Amino acid sequence: MLLLIVTTILWAFSFSLIGEYLAGQVDTWFSVLMRLALAALVFLPFLRWRGYRPSTLLLYMLVGMLQLGIMYLISFEAYLYLSVSEFLLFTVMTPLYVTLIYDLISKRPLRIGYAFSALLAVAGAAIIRYDKVSDHFWFGLLLVQLANLCFAVGMVGYKRLQETRPMPQHTAFSWFYLGAVLIAIVAWFLWGNPAKLPTTSLQWGILVWLGVAASGLGYFMWNYGATQVDAGTLGIMNNMHVPAGLLVNLAIWQQKPHWPSFIAGALVIFASLYVHKRWVLRSR
């Protein structure tokens, strides 16, 4: 749980940095490639293949392709149509995706309690950011939902792989990032624009920070934490980034949220976690 909280705080800064300094200024495909290549380099020393079936290594690469590679490509594109706060709003369905996909992959009946606590988290995040949306609502909504699905499938897939085909997590992540960076390389060669590379040291610095810290260490901590909690808690924690990201916007760029809805929504999210821990898990 602590790893999920620390990662949420770490990622809260990423949304604002991408929206303010990279989106529309630096080529989307290059941003994704740079971020994932640096993350892959962090874990390259841990790459091992002896003693593992090729199918297992390919599955870890596949979840990396989905959770980071394809998800990043869609997310960076979505920033061209959305503000940071709108992007955060449209991620609120992720907890529900996580619980439903986990039950589907595990071949078990839908757990109503898990779905209920996830819907509470969705409602809380929606309350926070329902004050206004832009003219690009529907297209932005579609892009972010596609990204959310890729993220949820990859995250749940990683959790299930650790349950059914376990390996040391630093080794697993070396294959995870290898799969993600392969997607980014293909995208760059197909659609990249060399004329829109970073032009300032600040933009380069942000890409390095996003690659090494937010992606390299952040996703490792998040997925490691995901293997230590149940799917319902994991889904709820996905929406903690909404209040955290808006607080970063306030602290750095003085973009004040609508305080009544912010407080009400944040309380609902925390309430969903309490309900899940207090009643749903105990009832099992």
Side-chain angles (χ1 to χ4, degrees):
M1 190 67 174
L2 178 60
L3 287 175
L4 298 181
I5 294 172
V6 171
T7 309
T8 296
I9 297 171
L10 181 66
W11 284 348
F13 291 90
S14 300
F15 296 107
S16 295
L17 291 174
I18 294 170
E20 294 290 332
Y21 297 110
L22 299 181
Q25 303 173 51
V26 178
D27 179 69
T28 298
W29 317 112
F30 181 80
S31 295
V32 173
L33 175 58
M34 181 76 174
R35 185 171 182 175
L36 292 178
L38 288 171
L41 285 175
V42 171
F43 285 87
L44 188 60
F46 305 111
L47 191 69
R48 302 288 186 275
W49 58 85
R50 292 180 180 175
Y52 300 109
R53 288 182 290 174
S55 60
T56 297
L57 302 180
L58 287 174
L59 284 171
Y60 275 101
M61 290 178 66
L62 179 61
V63 295
M65 289 179 180
L66 283 169
Q67 188 178 345
L68 292 192
I70 298 175
M71 184 275 291
Y72 271 157
L73 295 177
I74 300 173
S75 295
F76 273 76
E77 191 70 15
Y79 275 108
L80 299 177
Y81 302 94
L82 303 172
S83 67
V84 174
S85 58
E86 287 168 344
F87 186 95
L88 290 170
L89 165 63
F90 296 156
T91 64
V92 300
M93 292 299 292
T94 307
L96 192 56
Y97 296 153
V98 170
T99 57
L100 294 177
I101 292 170
Y102 187 83
D103 285 344
L104 179 64
I105 292 178
S106 303
K107 297 180 181 179
R108 65 176 68 183
L110 173 65
R111 291 169 292 181
I112 302 300
Y114 277 52
F116 174 72
S117 56
L119 281 172
L120 272 181
V122 169
I127 289 170
I128 291 175
R129 285 307 309 165
Y130 195 66
D131 55 321
K132 57 181 179 179
V133 292
S134 72
D135 295 333
H136 303 294
F137 177 90
W138 293 112
F139 189 63
L141 174 64
L142 175 62
L143 287 176
V144 178
Q145 295 319 303
L146 289 174
N148 289 345
L149 281 170
C150 290
F151 183 79
V153 171
M155 178 169 50
V156 172
Y158 181 88
K159 180 176 174 63
R160 284 296 295 162
L161 281 174
Q162 281 293 317
E163 292 169 355
T164 59
R165 303 190 183 200
M167 67 169 64
Q169 298 216 37
H170 53 279
T171 301
F173 253 74
S174 65
W175 291 100
F176 178 91
Y177 279 121
L178 184 59
V181 79
L182 286 177
I183 290 289
I185 291 172
V186 172
W188 165 249
F189 278 106
L190 288 177
W191 304 299
N193 182 3
K196 293 189 67 177
L197 297 182
T199 56
T200 67
S201 57
L202 177 61
Q203 289 174 333
W204 282 107
I206 289 172
L207 284 174
V208 171
W209 186 86
L210 290 173
V212 175
S215 290
L217 300 179
Y219 278 101
F220 176 75
M221 290 191 297
W222 182 267
N223 280 22
Y224 188 93
T227 64
Q228 309 301 309
V229 300
D230 66 283
T233 300
L234 178 61
I236 293 168
M237 284 301 298
N238 266 278
N239 268 358
M240 289 296 183
H241 69 268
V242 178
L246 293 176
L247 285 174
V248 169
N249 266 1
L250 170 65
I252 300 179
W253 287 282
Q254 286 76 54
Q255 297 181 9
K256 294 182 179 180
H258 182 254
W259 285 112
S261 61
F262 177 85
I263 294 172
L267 288 175
V268 172
I269 293 176
F270 282 106
S272 70
L273 190 60
Y274 177 79
V275 167
H276 184 76
K277 291 286 189 182
R278 179 66 175 80
W279 285 293
V280 176
L281 290 184
R282 286 193 178 185
S283 68
R284 295 178 60 202

